[in-house]
Structure formats: C-alpha cells, structure tokens
C-alpha cells in the first residue's frame, strides 16, 4: 500500500496575496479582481511600483529561482513569487 503525503497547509486555509503594480494597469486591476472573487485568497497588499528603477529594486528583494520579467503585476502568494496575472488566473480559475 502506498502512503499518501499530507499537504503542509489545510485545504480550507486562505492564501495571502501581495500584488506589485500600478493603478493604471489593466492586468493589475484584473489580478486584484480575481483575488477578491476567490474566497480562498485574501489581498494582503497592493504595492505601487513607481518606475522601472523601483521595479528592479522590488525584483531583487523577492527570493525565487524563477526569472521575474520586467512586467507588472508581480504576484506573491504567502510571500512566494508565483508570476503575474496569467499565472494567478491559471492557478485559481
């Protein structure tokens, strides 16, 4: 008989989402809407990226093995980088 691994997080636990973006960005707006529509997600913060230098600074502070593109939004789930709007949509919808 094969033993099944237990997930570290309970299924019913909500995930905390942080989004880095701009208020005038339609993909950022859509990411916020997706988070608000899903009861398993909670929008922890929306942090405004002021310019490309600020974006580079944000990227250096995120610990991940994935390459983070020079686009917004940047979405973190429970403090871990998951991608942008498309990755958020694929993962939860």
């Amino acid at each position: 008989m094969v033993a099944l691994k237990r997930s570290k997080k309970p299924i019913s636990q909500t995930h905390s989402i942080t989004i880095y973006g701009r208020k005038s960005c339609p993909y950022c707006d859509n990411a916020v809407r997706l988070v608000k529509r899903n009861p398993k997600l909670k929008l922890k913060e929306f942090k405004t990226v002021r310019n490309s230098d600020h974006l580079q600074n944000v990227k250096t502070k995120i610990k991940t093995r994935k390459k983070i593109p020079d686009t917004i939004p940047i979405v973190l789930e429970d403090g871990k980088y998951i991608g942008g709007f498309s990755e958020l949509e694929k993962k939860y919808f």
Side-chain angles (χ1 to χ4, degrees), residues 18-22 25-32 46 49 55 68-69 71-76 81 83-88:
T18 300
I19 299 173
Y20 290 90
R22 291 193 184 107
C25 166
Y27 289 102
C28 302
D29 293 340
N30 287 337
V32 170
F46 182 90
V49 176
L55 177 63
I68 303 174
T71 58
I72 52 173
I74 295 174
V75 181
L76 305 179
Y81 174 73
F85 169 74
S86 298
E87 291 78 13
L88 177 68

Side-chain angles (χ1 to χ4, degrees), residues 42-75:
K42 179 183 174 196
L43 183 62
K44 178 181 176 184
E45 290 182 270
F46 182 90
K47 296 186 176 183
T48 301
V49 176
R50 295 183 302 272
N51 54 41
S52 59
D53 290 336
H54 185 222
L55 177 63
Q56 295 305 316
N57 189 25
V58 166
K59 287 172 49 176
T60 59
K61 292 180 181 180
I62 298 171
K63 294 182 176 157
T64 183
R65 292 181 183 197
K66 297 178 185 177
K67 182 180 183 324
I68 303 174
D70 290 331
T71 58
I72 52 173
I74 295 174
V75 181

